[in-house]
Amino acid sequence: MAVLADKCPEIKVTVVDINKEKIIAWNSEDLRKLPIFEPGLSLLIKRNRNKNLFFSRKINENIAEADIIFISVNTPTKKKGLGAGYASDLKWVESSARSVAKFAKGNTIIVEKSTVPVRTAELIKTILSGSKSNSNSEKKTFSVISSPEFLAEGTAIKDLENPDRVLIGGDDDKAIEKLSQIYQRWIPKSKIFITNVWSSELSKLTANAFLAQRISSINAISSLCERTGADIKEVANAIGADTRIGSKFLNAGPGFGGSCFQKDLLNIVYLCRYYGLEEAANYWEQVIFLNEWQKIRISNLIIDSFFGTVTDKKLVILGYSFKSNTNDIRESPAIRVAKDLLENGANLVIHDPKVSKFQISNSLGENNEKSNNCSEGKWTFAIDIYNACLEADAIIIMTEWAEYLNIDWGIICRSMRQPAWIFDTRGIVKEKSLKGAKLKFWQVGKGLITNNIK
Ligand code: UDX
């Protein structure tokens, strides 16, 4: 919405939320207090806030005023009930639709922005069709269209300013044209694809499933490289040069995280099973299994490197967010690895340039906040990388933050306990930067390469 407001100064954009704290934070004078960190976002907020971009808790009034409403609420995987563990929980979509049904006036276009399982537009339409018009006002009418979001965190502003494509799904030509006109303010018409509503919804799930599958594929090959002496980067380079495969999204790592990939895969698995397509369901589910395995494999090989016990070993985790340039830790592989190591009695020191101690504490379990304990081990939060590594037994790089690219490994290694280990799950440490450092070095898709460091 910040990008939309920036590109269309004559359109008034209001973001509403039932969460008071979030709205206060979005209106905060101190731009470091915005609820999410995203490169370039604070600049857009500063430029447009209270001009044509507003953040408000007045939900009913703003619905009544709106010509177009984007439903952008979260749709997490259901924890309970029918479809638990697979299907999306649509309660927030449903309650938003009910508010729209109650307070909207005249003709309102509803744009389904949340990632939703196929046929959600139907649910929204059903709720809206039950809404009664005020006797003294004009008749309420609604048009429901789908326009899923393809932005990735960390590059969200760029992705929105210059998208590969925009999808608009629906059958109301007038509503589609209205939304398309808005996008055309900064996006060429050739990049705006009009589809039926179900294709639009399914395209979003499928795009994420394909991207996730690519990561599980390269991670599966990374494990084979580590055993055979092949180098995953050389393999990725070689296959990426084939234009049919393409070079993007081929970085082996600790497994994908984030709010979308797993959730959308689970949704596809659920849909396939719902329609009796067991083989298709199993195929996509395997992408998730492989992703879990990659995380477990990394925890296990760290523990194995210490002859099966990390009890009281000081292990430093560098990076906790699920990727760099975001403070989002949802489904971050670092959580799983940290939990495994804590369960094995490790003494963890966790560093991340943007993730807070509070977030880490929440992710490591409820009992954790007071005692700082998770099962056997302990963890502390570090502000300074070099201090964090003093007397450490191992350093585990979990996120590819720019801060970690220029670490002086010579200084770090001299301050560590011997035998000192570095586990680079992102493949970001250059071997030549380790020259002369006394340590054992493991890198994803390459394995143990101590012997090469002279
Ligand atoms: C994803 C989609 O890219 C985006 O289009 C959709 O709208 C939302 O979901 P996001 O989850 O923000 O975006 O991040 P993305 O860059 O796709 O990365 C997802 C995960 O895959 C991260 O954990 C990342 O580290 C990992 N990844 C990505 C790899 O391990 N290797 C790669 O080559 C690329």
Side-chain angles (χ1 to χ4, degrees):
M1 288 302 120
V3 171
L4 200 151
D6 196 55
K7 298 290 181 190
C8 310
E10 77 292 355
I11 296 179
K12 181 182 172 195
V13 178
T14 308
V15 177
V16 296
D17 202 296
I18 51 172
N19 186 323
K20 188 177 159 196
E21 280 71 39
K22 280 211 176 138
I23 293 299
I24 291 172
W26 281 117
N27 280 319
S28 169
E29 276 304 309
D30 182 352
L31 292 168
R32 288 168 304 183
K33 290 196 178 140
L34 296 181
I36 55 167
F37 168 74
E38 184 64 42
L41 179 60
S42 55
L43 195 81
L44 290 186
I45 303 279
K46 195 172 160 200
R47 195 151 70 204
N48 302 295
R49 196 172 54 191
N50 298 330
K51 289 186 186 135
N52 67 329
L53 175 65
F54 300 88
F55 296 92
S56 166
R57 278 190 69 215
K58 292 186 177 154
I59 298 176
N60 308 348
E61 293 91 320
N62 279 298
I63 288 177
E65 254 189 28
D67 299 306
I68 304 182
I69 295 173
F70 294 82
I71 297 189
S72 319
V73 294
N74 61 336
T75 50
T77 306
K78 270 178 99 170
K79 290 205 175 101
K80 289 190 286 199
L82 189 67
Y86 288 89
S88 274
D89 192 340
L90 296 179
K91 70 176 173 194
W92 301 115
V93 173
E94 188 174 336
S95 66
S96 304
R98 286 192 195 284
S99 298
V100 173
K102 196 161 167 198
F103 298 106
K105 290 188 180 141
N107 175 256
T108 313
I109 299 173
I110 320 294
V111 184
E112 189 194 349
K113 256 290 166 218
S114 303
T115 303
V116 287
V118 190
R119 306 191 86 85
T120 306
E122 212 162 64
L123 166 83
I124 300 176
K125 271 187 190 162
T126 311
I127 292 169
L128 296 175
S129 66
S131 85
K132 293 190 187 74
S133 294
N134 296 336
S135 52
N136 54 356
S137 68
E138 54 179 316
K139 198 173 153 26
K140 289 186 195 187
T141 52
F142 300 101
S143 315
V144 182
I145 51 181
S146 152
S147 183
E149 193 47 74
F150 292 99
L151 65 82
E153 290 179 37
T155 52
I157 310 289
K158 268 198 291 181
D159 295 344
L160 282 170
E161 288 182 335
N162 188 18
D164 289 340
R165 77 321 206 173
V166 165
L167 271 191
I168 307 179
D171 50 17
D172 182 330
D173 294 344
K174 258 186 162 166
I176 291 172
E177 184 52 28
K178 213 165 177 178
L179 184 60
S180 173
Q181 287 295 335
I182 294 177
Y183 286 129
Q184 281 177 52
R185 297 292 306 270
W186 76 96
I187 299 162
K189 202 174 173 192
S190 58
K191 284 188 174 181
I192 301 172
F193 299 177
I194 313 292
T195 67
N196 77 37
V197 74
W198 319 126
S199 303
S200 162
E201 289 182 351
L202 189 57
S203 300
K204 167 75 196 215
L205 296 182
T206 308
N208 278 346
F210 267 59
L211 291 168
Q213 176 210 45
R214 216 169 140 90
I215 298 168
S216 280
S217 299
I218 201 76
N219 284 344
I221 300 299
S222 77
S223 66
L224 192 57
C225 286
E226 290 160 27
R227 294 291 165 93
T228 56
D231 178 336
I232 194 67
K233 284 192 187 145
E234 291 175 354
V235 174
N237 227 354
I239 64 165
D242 185 326
T243 51
R244 292 168 302 175
I245 296 175
S247 60
K248 291 184 186 160
F249 246 71
L250 284 178
N251 293 322
F256 56 75
S259 64
C260 289
F261 284 177
Q262 175 162 314
K263 186 189 78 170
D264 291 354
L265 280 164
L266 287 168
N267 246 312
I268 289 193
V269 171
Y270 181 73
L271 284 167
C272 291
R273 293 230 162 94
Y274 177 83
Y275 288 107
L277 308 168
E278 192 59 27
E279 281 71 15
N282 294 343
Y283 174 76
W284 288 111
E285 198 164 31
Q286 193 57 36
V287 176
I288 305 172
F289 292 158
L290 198 290
N291 196 52
E292 278 310 299
W293 178 72
Q294 182 79 347
K295 295 180 239 176
I296 298 167
R297 183 171 94 72
I298 287 171
S299 309
N300 285 349
L301 72 87
I302 294 169
I303 298 165
D304 278 350
S305 304
F306 290 98
F307 303 100
T309 173
V310 289
T311 307
D312 295 331
K313 292 274 179 322
K314 180 175 173 184
L315 309 180
V316 180
I317 292 192
L318 293 184
Y320 206 74
S321 56
F322 79 97
K323 61 188 272 194
S324 61
N325 292 323
T326 175
N327 62 346
D328 195 344
I329 62 166
R330 282 175 293 176
E331 305 296 338
S332 176
I335 300 175
R336 174 68 204 246
V337 171
K339 279 188 173 168
D340 286 348
L341 296 173
L342 287 170
E343 267 166 27
N344 278 276
N347 180 2
L348 290 188
V349 180
I350 303 176
H351 175 274
D352 190 286
K354 291 288 174 203
V355 176
S356 68
K357 184 178 177 184
F358 179 71
Q359 286 174 281
I360 298 172
S361 180
N362 273 344
S363 71
L364 290 178
E366 284 159 12
N367 302 330
N368 192 258
E369 224 164 342
K370 274 195 200 109
S371 64
N372 231 8
N373 278 331
C374 174
S375 305
E376 302 295 323
K378 287 197 179 85
W379 67 272
T380 50
F381 180 66
I383 308 273
D384 179 76
I385 301 172
Y386 291 85
N387 274 342
C389 297
L390 285 175
E391 293 290 314
D393 295 285
I395 294 166
I396 305 152
I397 300 171
M398 291 300 301
T399 314
E400 72 286 19
W401 281 103
E403 276 87 338
Y404 305 149
L405 301 180
N406 299 314
I407 288 179
D408 187 329
W409 293 109
I411 297 181
I412 296 263
C413 287
R414 278 193 293 280
S415 75
M416 290 174 73
R417 271 199 339 181
Q418 285 297 326
W421 280 89
I422 296 179
F423 297 93
D424 177 12
T425 74
R426 291 284 183 173
I428 58 167
V429 176
K430 301 249 176 342
E431 256 177 76
K432 61 173 191 271
S433 70
L434 298 173
K435 254 188 187 158
K438 198 175 165 204
L439 52 84
K440 296 180 174 222
F441 178 50
W442 177 91
Q443 193 168 50
V444 69
K446 222 166 170 187
L448 182 61
I449 39 183
T450 327
N451 297 339
N452 299 337
I453 305 165
K454 297 267 165 46

